[in-house]
Amino acid sequence: MHQRRPNSSVIVATRNGSDSDSKSLEERRAERRLAAKQRRDGGKKLKRVKRRTIKGGKLWWRKNPQLEIACFAFGLFALIGVTMFKLLHGGGGSGGGRRRDVFKAFEKKLQEDRAAKGQPHEINTDSGGFFSRLRGSKYMIPESLKRIGNKDAWYAALRQEYDIAILPKNDERSIKFVQETRERNGAYTQIAAAQTPYDIHNCPEYPPEGYPIQWPILEVTKNWPTDDATPRHEIYQGICVFDYRTELHKADNYRKAELPFVVRDDPASARTAERWMHPGYLDKLLMGKEDIQRRTEYSPNNHFMYWVDKRSRSERQRAAKKVKDAKLHGNDDAHGGFGRGDQEEFINAMHLLDNLHEARDRFDKAKAYAQKHQDDDEAQQEVQKWDKSLRDAKKARQDEESKNWKPPTENLRMTYLEWLEHANVTDDKLGPDNPHWYFRLIGCGDMGDHTADGSCDKGSSEWLFDELTFFQPRLGERRPFYMIEPQQQKGIHCRFGMKGVIAENHFDLSRNAIALLGGQRRYILAHPNQCNNMNLLPRGHPSARHSAVDWANPDLDNFPTFPKAHVNEIVMQPGDVLYLPTNWFHYIVSLELISNAIPEVEGSVCIGKKSTIADFEEALEICSWYPWFLLGNAFFGRDYSLLLC
């Protein structure tokens, strides 16, 4: 049985139904009063714990005064060291890190605002007292990206020198600089025989019918032969030129229509052109902390044709050994590049490849039919027949290539100064039949070791992303006009050439935005519907996508359709940006010696949608490259940046 005590919540358990063993309420209250009084009086005293002492009554660490001083000094210097590390390197807890991140974000925003107003910005290291002066600061390059670009101290110091002391940001001055450069180069006007129904310098809002106007190729090359690098100022220009500041909306309409045009007086490209053309800047930029070896292409003449090495490893080794042995025997001019090749050899190669493609198509059709009719003996015999024809065609092509095909250029490695020694020669050594050299840089960006051509020199030229802000893969409102899908950007390539260098006629499986940062460069353009007249080298050839015709000396007997081709041309000036849609043919001629102050830049940029190439399907169906034209529009919709310097 349980019972509740009066005025208490404590339950008292009774034994055998009796409370005789329990204390009375008064006794319990008396015990509690006594315990409280003892607590007030201090209760039981605690024993005092004596410190351990050693002989003599002193603490052990006080036995030796020198040891005492050493321990104190160690603790003091450790405290100072930790504090200085936090100040200099941004260490510390999460709360401190968050505060520093806020400061850095504010500092970056302040720099961007001052840069937008044309004011130079440098962190003030004198306003924060002793520790701020001790910590110092690193120059923040305007419009640089956090994840890509060059973060080395030498590049920051170089940009600080030019951005603050030599060429502080001033858009009006930069635009005036490229305008004065165009005036010195002379104006290029339409020849009397090449008048267009629209004004190329004041084009309509939307592309007019038949834009761009094109003319017979032999007329264009007769007026200005491609081997002649001397500027001729009356040309067959059919594409529009838009002012970036007032006509960018027009350029956007033409780009949506997948048609070529030129943008002029873009402040971003003008700033880069002005800086790169400033005496001495490129020397410092290209040599950097160390003048490292970079990719270089050699050609025995002024013709450069891209190629894919399809030789076996043993064949490549034999070719390299042959060049090495020739140099050991005193032939310093021995190289593994042999020029674009003879047009008659191209004809033979084209016939052999046509036979190979035909045999493969016939074999595939016979095999597919035989699989559906396994009881048909004639169908099985047809498969065997075309299988033998296919093997014979492959062997004939391999034999022809092993006998006659030679690499048009040689891929080397050189430092900038080594290339400049070859490139900086007098005009009498710049003829079409004299050796020419291309110097190449690659900025990898987010691509790591993989770029548009399948390789990348990681870390060697990442400053290209800081120099060419208009090719940066930015998203949102800060996305450059030339970058449509920044997340698909495939690095930046840069090439420095020589006067008279020719890039053979070809098409690309991506859209291009080509920005010229110095010198002059002639572009001859052709619509994709001209592919049959271009006499393209077929699929499978090492230089596929290129024209077999030598435009400087066309073989009209072997290429009778070439005179039917129609083209137009433009001469690009420093600061110009040319938009070239997918699959448009382009033939390029450098008009000036590309030295330390005259680079040229080409950045490939791809639209994030399929092209309007369907409008040209009927014309392209007669071209053996037609499926690859469609592939280029359906698959290669991504951003590339290729710098032709």
Side-chain angles (χ1 to χ4, degrees), residues 284-295:
K284 299 176 183 178
L285 181 64
L286 289 170
M287 289 187 288
K289 187 177 180 180
E290 179 184 1
D291 190 9
I292 63 175
Q293 289 189 333
R294 293 185 173 95
R295 303 176 187 219

Side-chain angles (χ1 to χ4, degrees), residues 15-146:
R15 300 177 183 177
N16 300 325
S18 174
D19 59 354
S20 59
D21 295 333
S22 63
K23 295 182 180 180
S24 67
L25 178 61
E26 289 75 8
E27 290 175 342
R28 292 178 180 278
R29 289 177 176 174
E31 290 177 355
R32 289 197 293 271
R33 285 194 295 270
L34 180 60
K37 184 176 183 302
Q38 289 176 346
R39 287 194 298 272
R40 287 194 299 271
D41 294 342
K44 186 178 180 181
K45 293 184 179 180
L46 298 175
K47 292 183 179 180
R48 187 178 186 86
V49 179
K50 295 183 179 181
R51 295 180 298 177
R52 288 187 177 185
T53 60
I54 59 175
K55 189 176 180 181
K58 295 183 179 180
L59 296 178
W60 67 270
W61 56 273
R62 289 186 178 178
K63 181 180 179 181
N64 191 336
Q66 289 81 8
L67 180 62
E68 180 178 356
I69 295 173
C71 292
F72 177 78
F74 175 79
L76 178 62
F77 282 109
L79 178 62
I80 294 174
V82 171
T83 304
M84 295 301 297
F85 179 84
K86 290 181 179 181
L87 287 172
L88 295 174
H89 300 283
S94 59
R98 181 178 59 82
R99 287 192 296 271
R100 279 186 295 276
D101 291 342
V102 171
F103 170 76
K104 289 180 179 178
F106 171 77
E107 186 66 39
K108 187 172 183 179
K109 185 178 185 303
L110 177 62
Q111 177 184 358
E112 292 173 351
D113 292 342
R114 291 176 64 88
K117 298 176 182 178
Q119 301 173 351
H121 174 70
E122 184 179 10
I123 298 176
N124 185 359
T125 60
D126 297 329
S127 60
F130 169 76
F131 287 110
S132 293
R133 291 194 299 272
L134 182 63
R135 179 177 179 180
S137 63
K138 182 178 179 180
Y139 178 69
M140 298 175 66
I141 299 171
E143 300 183 78
S144 62
L145 296 176
K146 182 178 181 180

Side-chain angles (χ1 to χ4, degrees), residues 372-530:
K372 295 180 181 179
H373 304 82
Q374 296 184 2
D375 297 334
D376 190 339
D377 294 338
E378 292 184 1
Q380 303 301 326
Q381 293 176 0
E382 191 75 6
V383 172
Q384 296 176 3
K385 169 188 171 182
W386 286 111
D387 181 47
K388 182 178 183 303
S389 298
L390 179 59
R391 283 187 276 109
D392 292 343
K394 287 182 178 179
K395 186 176 185 306
R397 180 202 167 194
Q398 291 172 354
D399 292 343
E400 175 68 19
E401 285 190 357
S402 62
K403 292 179 182 177
N404 297 320
W405 183 83
K406 296 179 180 179
T409 61
E410 181 182 10
N411 297 320
L412 306 168
R413 290 272 178 174
M414 282 186 178
T415 65
Y416 167 66
L417 290 180
E418 288 174 339
W419 169 81
L420 192 59
E421 184 179 355
H422 289 288
N424 194 15
V425 295
T426 55
D427 284 351
D428 61 310
K429 296 182 180 180
L430 287 173
D433 297 324
N434 289 327
H436 285 69
W437 309 77
Y438 247 149
F439 188 65
R440 298 177 56 189
L441 313 176
I442 303 178
C444 304
D446 289 330
M447 292 309 299
D449 295 329
H450 303 284
T451 50
D453 65 349
S455 59
C456 184
D457 296 334
K458 185 66 177 177
S460 66
S461 307
E462 294 306 294
W463 43 259
L464 289 170
F465 288 92
D466 301 304
E467 294 289 324
L468 311 170
T469 57
F470 46 90
F471 282 158
Q472 289 177 342
R474 294 184 181 273
L475 300 174
E477 295 181 354
R478 301 191 66 188
R479 174 181 60 83
F481 174 77
Y482 314 108
M483 302 296 291
I484 306 305
E485 280 193 326
Q487 65 275 20
Q488 298 293 338
Q489 204 258 11
K490 294 290 182 178
I492 300 178
H493 290 223
C494 179
R495 298 181 183 178
F496 291 76
M498 299 169 60
K499 180 179 180 179
V501 162
I502 290 175
E504 291 287 340
N505 178 52
H506 66 284
F507 71 89
D508 293 321
L509 295 172
S510 64
R511 299 167 179 86
N512 298 301
I514 305 154
L516 197 70
L517 300 184
Q520 300 181 82
R521 187 176 286 257
R522 179 189 182 193
Y523 276 79
I524 304 178
L525 311 177
H527 196 287
N529 60 16
Q530 299 296 310

Side-chain angles (χ1 to χ4, degrees), residues 142-178:
E143 300 183 78
S144 62
L145 296 176
K146 182 178 181 180
R147 68 183 187 279
I148 60 176
N150 190 296
K151 311 303 179 185
D152 294 339
W154 72 265
Y155 180 65
L158 176 64
R159 285 297 303 269
Q160 181 177 10
E161 177 188 4
Y162 277 80
D163 293 347
I164 295 177
I166 300 177
L167 292 174
K169 182 180 178 181
N170 186 321
D171 290 346
E172 292 184 2
R173 187 199 66 234
S174 299
I175 292 175
K176 183 179 180 181
F177 173 83
V178 295

Side-chain angles (χ1 to χ4, degrees), residues 336-347:
F338 300 91
R340 73 181 308 279
D342 187 83
Q343 294 179 86
E344 292 186 1
E345 294 177 1
F346 282 150
I347 284 289

